[in-house]
Amino acid sequence: MVGDSDAVVVRRIVELPDHFCQFLVEAAAEGFDTMSVLQDEWRDGSNRFERPGEILALATIRDEIAGIGGITQDFVDPSWLRMRRFYVRPTYRRRGVGRRIALYVLEHAEPFERQIALYADGPEAEAFWPTLRFDPIERENTTHVFRRGT
C-alpha cells in the first residue's frame, strides 16, 4: 500500500525543473526524444506552454521529480489543444503519476472548452490514454481525442 509519504504532488511549472537531466537520460535510454524536444523548444522559446489553455505540470514524490507533462495549442488545428511532452520516470510508473499529471492538465484546460487531442507513442501510451476518456481517432499526427462528459 502506498503511504502518505509516497503521495504524488502535481503543480504548474514555468521553468524546467532542476535535475531535468534525469528526464533526458532516462527518456533517451528508452528511445524517446520527447524530453530532448521539450528542452530544445524551451531553450529556443518556440514552446513555453504560455498561450491560452496551455500548461506544463511537474509531478513529485517525496520532493523527487517523478513525471512531467503538459498541454499546448494543437499544431494541426490551432483551435484545439494537444496533450504533449508526457514522461514518467521508470521508477515511478504504475504509481498513478501519469494519471495525476493528465487529470491536473485536463482540469486546467476545461474552462477553455476546446477539443483536446494527443499522439500516443507506443503500446503503453495507447493503453493508458483510453482510461482517461481518450478515444482513437483517424487524424493527421493524432491517435486519440478527449471525450467530454461521462
Side-chain angles (χ1 to χ4, degrees), residues 36-79:
S36 61
V37 172
L38 172 58
Q39 182 180 53
D40 292 346
E41 291 177 342
W42 195 275
R43 284 181 175 166
D44 71 18
S46 63
N47 188 10
R48 291 276 180 94
F49 299 80
E50 298 171 324
R51 293 174 288 207
E54 295 185 343
I55 188 173
L56 184 62
L58 181 74
T60 58
I61 296 177
R62 287 176 263 110
D63 295 324
E64 187 168 333
I65 61 170
I68 197 167
I71 195 166
T72 64
Q73 180 177 294
D74 184 53
F75 57 82
V76 176
D77 180 343
S79 70

